[in-house]
Amino acid sequence: MPWAIAFLPGGDALVTERESARLLRVTPRGEVHEVAVIQGVSASGEGGLLGVAVSPRYATDHLVFVYFTAEHDNRIVRYRYDGRLSDRRVIVTGIPKGAIHNGGRLAFGPDGHLYASTGETGERGLAQDRNSLGGKILRMTADGRPAPGNPFGTLVWTYGHRNVQGLAWDDQGHMYATEFGQNTYDEINLIEKGRNYGWPEVEGVGHRPGYTDPLLTWSTAEASPSGLAYARGALWAAALRGERLWRVPVDASGRVGRPTALYTGEYGRLRAVAAAPDGTLWVSTSNRDGRGTPRDGDDRILVVRPS
């Protein structure tokens, strides 16, 4: 079950498998090599080995980061990678875990800091509790400390999230996130420091003071959006239940245009989407996660040329 994709400077990608806890290295030619089985992963429900991120200073520090479900929590672990993993260091613990809604996306922002998405594990109140790491987007240094400028002096960057699984930035530095709704509306949000995104008080657009409305909503049947990437003036969102890749144009101010659905039903459930150094998008299917219908060759990574 490929869950996340992050690129090394030379064009190879590191890919996580949720249930097997394998970290793979995949070349642009499609060659697959096992890097390691990540120690301490407890895969059950929607948990397991989830996000992966490569340091923007990888050429000098050789650091990679993974987010996974352990026995008692979700956590973020840092490694040095020189063809093999070494110097394991746990940098964040205590992220709530559950059978559902474990978040799990890791990505470095243009500010050089590491961002992580967390879920509220089905305990809805965690999303509004700023003392909990559940239902949040976190922002941290490479050592796992609150990054300078965080709004509450903690790891928390934004709150009021149900289950964010996609993070991306455009060329102007605007940050976006995909979020699973409950029964009615899935969302793309423009993420801004310290904002409250409403869950569980609001699902979709609420026009309520104190809560930030999404840029875009879909029905849950059309989306259940997971991975998110930015390329060629658009956001690209991978849809699980919706079984399609959404192209969402964005302008220089961060406003979105009319979304277009691509590959609807053609490859089944789509989980990760990542922008490769060569300008393509890598998209993973998720048909062996217990909720899809596996096809010959599943699960796979697709290469898409954005236009």
Side-chain angles (χ1 to χ4, degrees):
M1 288 181 276
W3 204 94
I5 301 167
F7 286 93
L8 296 162
D12 289 0
L14 296 178
V15 178
T16 58
E17 287 185 338
R18 189 179 82 193
E19 188 170 76
S20 71
R22 292 197 307 167
L23 181 66
L24 305 176
R25 183 166 180 160
V26 181
T27 74
R29 297 175 59 186
E31 299 161 333
V32 180
H33 309 277
E34 181 178 299
V35 173
V37 176
I38 298 299
Q39 173 188 348
V41 176
S42 178
S44 62
E46 294 178 358
L49 179 59
L50 304 176
V52 60
V54 174
S55 169
R57 295 169 290 278
Y58 180 84
T60 56
D61 65 23
H62 291 269
L63 297 180
V64 299
F65 301 76
V66 292
Y67 179 119
F68 65 82
T69 310
E71 185 176 359
H72 300 296
D73 62 0
N74 285 297
R75 52 184 52 194
I76 301 169
V77 177
R78 188 182 80 190
Y79 293 91
R80 184 175 176 86
Y81 176 55
D82 291 302
R84 65 180 186 88
L85 297 184
S86 62
D87 298 337
R88 182 181 189 270
R89 180 175 176 184
V90 180
I91 63 169
V92 178
T93 60
I95 301 169
K97 65 170 281 189
I100 59 173
H101 302 177
N102 289 286
R105 194 64 60 187
L106 288 180
F108 277 91
D111 58 7
H113 293 303
L114 179 62
Y115 291 75
S117 72
T118 73
E120 37 77 299
T121 71
E123 296 291 334
R124 296 153 59 106
L126 296 182
Q128 291 294 320
D129 180 359
R130 295 209 308 249
N131 293 316
S132 169
L133 297 181
K136 308 295 188 296
I137 293 175
L138 311 179
R139 176 176 178 263
M140 69 199 73
T141 68
D143 294 325
R145 298 186 179 94
N150 279 10
F152 312 114
T154 66
L155 292 173
V156 174
W157 184 245
T158 57
Y159 64 109
H161 297 290
R162 186 170 183 263
N163 193 26
V164 168
Q165 286 192 0
L167 301 174
W169 289 261
D170 66 16
D171 291 336
Q172 284 69 44
H174 298 115
M175 182 181 181
Y176 305 90
T178 52
E179 182 154 354
F180 290 93
Q182 184 173 27
N183 299 313
T184 310
Y185 296 114
D186 293 324
E187 303 174 355
I188 287 182
N189 284 289
L190 177 66
I191 300 300
E192 297 179 308
K193 174 181 177 177
R195 293 288 187 94
N196 181 347
Y197 288 83
W199 181 256
E201 303 302 322
V202 182
E203 181 183 2
V205 176
H207 300 300
R208 291 178 56 181
Y211 302 115
T212 300
D213 286 335
L215 291 174
L216 174 69
T217 62
W218 296 280
S219 72
T220 54
E222 293 176 299
S224 297
S226 185
L228 187 68
Y230 174 83
R232 297 182 66 86
L235 295 168
W236 303 79
L240 290 164
R241 184 178 172 192
E243 296 191 352
R244 65 199 76 181
L245 180 66
W246 284 104
R247 180 187 182 275
V248 183
V250 292
D251 66 18
S253 66
R255 291 175 298 189
V256 300
R258 183 184 297 275
T260 302
L262 305 172
Y263 313 116
T264 302
E266 192 169 343
Y267 298 105
R269 293 162 59 82
L270 303 181
R271 169 76 67 180
V273 55
D278 65 2
T280 62
L281 298 172
W282 287 24
V283 182
S284 73
T285 70
S286 192
N287 294 316
R288 295 187 178 276
D289 62 2
R291 296 177 178 174
T293 302
R295 305 149 192 239
D296 288 343
D298 278 338
D299 274 316
R300 66 188 75 195
I301 293 174
L302 312 171
V303 178
V304 175
R305 296 199 175 275
S307 59

